[in-house]
Amino acid sequence: MNTQDPKKETKTKITERRRFLTIMAQSIGLSALGGIVWTGYVEEAKSAPLVLRPPAALPEKDFLRTCIKCGQCAEACPYDTLIMAKPGDDVPMGTPYFIPRDVPCYMCEDIPCVPVCPTEALDQKSVTTVKNGKPELDINKARMGLAIIDHESCIAYWGIQCDACYRACPLLKEALTIEFLRNERTGKHAKLVPVVHADYCTGCGLCEHACVTEKPAIFVLPREVAMGKPGDYYVKGWNKKDQERIKQRDLSKIRTKTERSEKKPQDYLNSDEELFQ
């Protein structure tokens, strides 16, 4: 007579060899998954040179080191401007950014996204002005990017009257101005064209959002991408601040003399005269 309880199932004994192979398979799988995730993160980090960050963001390399991807800045934004990057966004995952054509920065005076940052990845000091001895937030000091105008596709440069971007600019007559150009095609009329001024443009993207063309003829790029760099050796002689900058340079490392400069002009000016004989 079988007295064994039918409810009890016979357990398969796991040998040490089987346990070892199982652990190895799991480890290889986790390593492969980690490699895929890391590769995706690296690729996204590489493909994000045109990403626009929130107001007061540190330079991109410092921002990525400092941002803990908590999402508090995006949560504080009343216009849902800020997006937390997801896989496939071509932006390092979990970091905040915005797309002006979809939702621009509406230039909140209290800049709610900045003070909530726990790591100072959004540098509050960079958007602070002292008035009457008291520090006050000043959104006009933000430098999220710089608006660029494509003259070929901007209809104002065609001669068609349009000032949509100009009217949308929160720093009217400062960041964006309207200038008159002669219409060469008609020879009689003037073109009223928008001109961006980098010293005042905050990169909010309201102009890009308002542009009437199918693909915006005015668009915001990160300032390090949009702007050139003249180099440390070119100085605005009429600008005292720029003159102070060059005074701080170590001029001992600048080599201005060459072998030719040590000669007299008559020693080398006619050195090739035999070519003309």
Side-chain angles (χ1 to χ4, degrees):
M1 183 175 178
N2 187 5
T3 59
Q4 186 177 2
D5 189 348
K7 294 183 179 179
K8 291 184 179 181
E9 297 181 358
T10 303
K11 294 183 178 180
T12 303
K13 186 177 180 180
I14 301 176
T15 63
E16 290 300 322
R17 182 173 181 273
R18 178 175 291 182
R19 189 189 304 277
F20 173 77
L21 292 174
T22 301
I23 294 174
M24 284 294 294
Q26 291 174 345
S27 300
I28 292 171
L30 289 173
S31 299
L33 179 61
I36 292 170
V37 172
W38 177 251
T39 301
Y41 178 85
V42 170
E43 289 302 318
E44 287 186 345
K46 288 180 180 178
S47 59
L50 304 181
V51 66
L52 298 174
R53 298 299 185 186
L58 295 172
E60 186 67 8
K61 288 184 179 179
D62 296 329
F63 179 80
L64 291 176
R65 293 191 189 103
T66 311
C67 175
I68 60 173
K69 308 169 182 63
C70 63
Q72 292 190 52
C73 56
E75 187 176 346
C77 178
Y79 296 100
D80 295 329
T81 297
L82 298 178
I83 306 167
M84 301 304 292
K86 305 179 295 298
D89 283 352
D90 289 334
V91 180
M93 286 189 295
T95 59
Y97 72 105
F98 71 104
I99 304 173
R101 189 61 165 176
D102 296 338
V103 188
C105 173
Y106 284 95
M107 303 277 284
C108 304
E109 292 186 2
D110 57 347
I111 328 179
C113 58
V114 174
V116 297
C117 180
T119 62
E120 296 184 354
L122 304 181
D123 181 15
Q124 188 169 331
K125 293 179 182 178
S126 68
V127 287
T128 299
T129 300
V130 177
K131 292 183 179 179
N132 300 322
K134 295 182 179 180
E136 295 182 8
L137 290 173
D138 184 2
I139 186 60
N140 294 341
K141 294 186 69 177
R143 294 295 181 267
M144 294 167 274
L146 179 64
I148 302 297
I149 300 173
D150 176 15
H151 296 182
E152 297 297 327
S153 58
C154 176
I155 60 175
Y157 279 85
W158 293 5
I160 299 175
Q161 185 173 353
C162 177
D163 60 359
C165 60
Y166 173 71
R167 294 297 174 187
C169 181
L171 295 176
L172 203 64
K173 298 182 180 180
E174 291 183 328
L176 257 179
T177 59
I178 292 291
E179 296 188 6
F180 296 88
L181 293 180
R182 185 172 181 270
N183 191 330
E184 299 292 343
R185 181 176 57 82
T186 65
K188 298 178 181 179
H189 308 93
K191 300 176 183 178
L192 280 68
V193 299
V195 177
V196 178
H197 301 278
D199 288 346
Y200 296 97
C201 179
T202 64
C204 66
L206 282 162
C207 56
E208 179 177 339
H209 185 67
C211 184
V212 300
T213 56
E214 181 177 346
K215 184 179 179 181
I218 183 169
F219 45 88
V220 180
L221 295 176
R223 293 178 77 90
E224 59 270 18
V225 174
M227 300 182 72
K229 186 176 181 181
D232 294 333
Y233 306 115
Y234 295 96
V235 184
K236 298 175 182 176
W238 60 90
N239 188 313
K240 291 184 178 179
K241 186 177 180 180
D242 212 40
Q243 290 183 38
E244 289 298 323
R245 174 180 62 84
I246 199 64
K247 288 180 181 178
Q248 297 173 4
R249 291 272 301 165
D250 184 5
L251 301 180
S252 63
K253 297 181 180 179
I254 300 176
R255 184 172 179 269
T256 58
K257 290 186 177 182
T258 64
E259 293 181 3
R260 173 174 287 189
S261 65
E262 295 175 356
K263 298 180 181 180
K264 295 180 180 179
Q266 57 267 33
D267 292 336
Y268 62 83
L269 283 178
N270 299 320
S271 60
D272 295 329
E273 60 182 2
E274 65 274 4
L275 297 175
F276 303 99
Q277 294 177 356

